[in-house]
Amino acid sequence: MERLRGPGPPSLPRVMLRSELGKADLADLLSAGTIARVRHGAYMVVDQALTEPWATRQQYALARCVAVVRASAEPRILSHESAALLHGCPLWRTPERVHLIQPTRHGARRAPDVLRHTVDLEPSDVTTINGLAVTTLQRTVLDCARTLHARDALVVADSALRLLAKPDRWRRAESQERMEGIRAELCERLASGRARRGRVRARAVLSAANGFAESPGESVLRWIAVSRDIGRPVAQFRTQTDRGTYFSDLAWCYRRRSGGGTERWVVHAEFDGRIKYHAETPDGGAEAVVEEKLREDAIREAGGVVLRFVSEDLHRPDATAERLVRAMPARLMRGARAVPGLYLPE
């Protein structure tokens, strides 16, 4: 699972081909850990500052993209998940293969780490990022929505919508209007395109996409809910408390009768990536834990329940869905079902 980084394309690792290195130099650099093999005949200069496993996997994936393009005698256009990485979209799963689009299959040499797509591209569907030809972000979203598991596609669509619309949770109406405009444009392109395969899934993914999602974990948690028809949650839900204003990752709002009146009942769902609790500070993260506890108490006092989920929960979608259902009003969950296009078992 990859985490959200700042907006914009990532920096690319330096890649060297075997032909650029002498035999002795290659052995010395490999032995010292200065470089690492990313594919046959290509090596990446190792970034020693990377400590998180997901960041290392991402660097390898980016390096393979650079290596494949550099080793090709003909122009190649990176697409699908490879293009998503280049655009700066975090992915749920780091791709093991490089996706390329080429006009014909003629002359294509097979490689186990390359997946070639033979499709026609309009010039407007291609852009350049850090010197590499890639499909545009809009085209990339549609390609991923049609071909990936709905969960993985939603992660890409959420992050792409965030990059394109730049939503501001303090200016929700304006942000929602921008997102709806982009969604309509993508749906129109999907309907008018030649590709038919995966269209139902892509429509469902685009309908569920939300640029307010701030991490892949939040996207997957929302996918678990919407794919099983557990309502359509509000992302980055604003709650005013005695301690100030807080935003929940997801929230479902209901109204219920109480004491002759009506009160609002909110079910909050929070994804905890645990990064903020790591012992990187003198207090070992204790201050963050205390602050999170006070925040959670304040949200509860404002009305509702708070459910917390961690990475392991996202890999147990049925159990996580059951936990969400138990927190919801029973009368609203009687009709819950698998949603076509979104619910796809592993």
Side-chain angles (χ1 to χ4, degrees):
M1 178 192 64
E2 319 305 350
R3 294 164 178 84
L4 195 67
R5 57 173 166 261
S11 58
L12 297 181
R14 182 185 172 193
V15 173
M16 295 179 288
L17 302 181
R18 175 68 181 84
S19 58
E20 300 169 344
L21 295 166
K23 187 174 182 179
D25 292 335
L26 176 61
D28 290 343
L29 291 171
L30 285 171
S31 177
T34 305
I35 63 173
R37 182 180 182 275
V38 294
R39 71 188 307 261
H40 179 70
Y43 303 85
M44 170 188 74
V45 176
V46 176
D47 185 349
Q48 303 293 346
L50 298 180
T51 57
E52 292 281 351
W54 68 266
T56 301
R57 291 194 300 270
Q58 177 178 280
Q59 284 295 94
Y60 272 84
L62 289 169
R64 280 194 294 272
C65 291
V66 176
V68 167
V69 172
R70 286 198 59 194
S72 177
E74 299 178 4
R76 293 287 183 258
I77 300 170
L78 295 160
S79 66
H80 295 74
E81 296 142 277
S82 299
L85 274 178
L86 266 295
H87 279 288
C89 295
L91 303 178
W92 181 242
R93 292 178 175 175
T94 307
E96 295 295 329
R97 294 192 288 182
V98 176
H99 291 258
L100 294 175
I101 285 182
Q102 57 188 40
T104 66
R105 294 186 183 276
H106 179 70
R109 183 169 59 87
R110 286 191 173 186
D113 60 347
V114 177
L115 184 58
R116 304 175 191 276
H117 306 268
T118 305
V119 297
D120 294 326
L121 279 179
E122 297 293 333
S124 58
D125 283 333
V126 183
T127 188
T128 302
I129 297 177
N130 291 330
L132 301 178
V134 301
T135 52
T136 62
L137 185 52
Q138 292 86 341
R139 173 61 191 247
T140 300
V141 171
L142 295 178
D143 287 338
C144 290
R146 288 191 305 102
T147 60
L148 294 181
H149 187 291
R151 172 204 56 217
D152 303 65
L154 187 60
V155 171
V156 174
D158 280 357
S159 57
L161 202 55
R162 186 172 183 83
L163 288 170
L164 291 168
K166 298 178 176 57
D168 181 347
R169 59 190 183 182
W170 292 98
R171 298 175 179 271
R172 195 168 195 95
E174 299 171 20
S175 300
Q176 196 66 44
E177 184 177 354
R178 290 197 300 273
M179 285 194 288
E180 292 307 320
I182 294 168
R183 192 194 319 277
E185 177 188 341
L186 290 171
C187 288
E188 182 179 351
R189 289 193 57 177
L190 178 68
S192 62
R194 295 181 182 179
R196 301 285 178 180
R197 186 177 181 182
R199 186 174 288 187
V200 171
R201 181 192 316 166
R203 278 199 298 265
V205 168
L206 292 177
S207 175
N210 193 318
F212 280 115
E214 295 189 345
S215 74
E218 292 178 32
S219 297
V220 174
L221 182 58
R222 199 174 79 259
W223 167 77
I224 291 173
V226 299
S227 66
R228 291 156 174 82
D229 200 24
I230 309 176
R232 189 60 67 93
V234 177
Q236 293 303 308
F237 180 79
R238 183 176 177 176
T239 301
Q240 189 66 42
T241 76
D242 293 337
R243 288 181 55 82
T245 302
Y246 293 114
F247 292 88
S248 304
D249 294 338
L250 299 174
W252 290 259
C253 301
Y254 305 101
R255 293 188 180 280
R256 66 180 184 181
R257 293 180 180 179
S258 176
T262 302
E263 66 175 339
R264 188 178 68 168
W265 179 256
V266 184
V267 176
H268 303 266
E270 295 274 81
F271 171 71
D272 181 4
R274 297 186 180 177
I275 296 177
K276 60 192 171 193
Y277 302 137
H278 286 181
E280 297 175 352
T281 57
D283 65 356
E287 183 178 346
V289 173
V290 171
E291 178 58 34
E292 193 63 24
K293 176 65 167 59
L294 294 173
R295 172 184 180 275
E296 189 171 314
D297 289 344
I299 291 176
R300 283 198 177 97
E301 289 173 5
V305 297
V306 179
L307 304 177
R308 304 199 69 87
F309 298 90
V310 295
S311 297
E312 291 81 356
D313 295 313
L314 304 184
H315 295 282
R316 299 190 294 265
D318 289 337
T320 295
E322 290 175 7
R323 188 177 165 203
L324 286 169
V325 168
R326 287 195 298 270
M328 308 293 176
R331 61 184 175 80
L332 298 178
M333 292 294 102
R334 289 170 188 157
R337 59 184 176 80
V339 178
L342 284 177
Y343 179 78
L344 294 171
E346 291 289 344

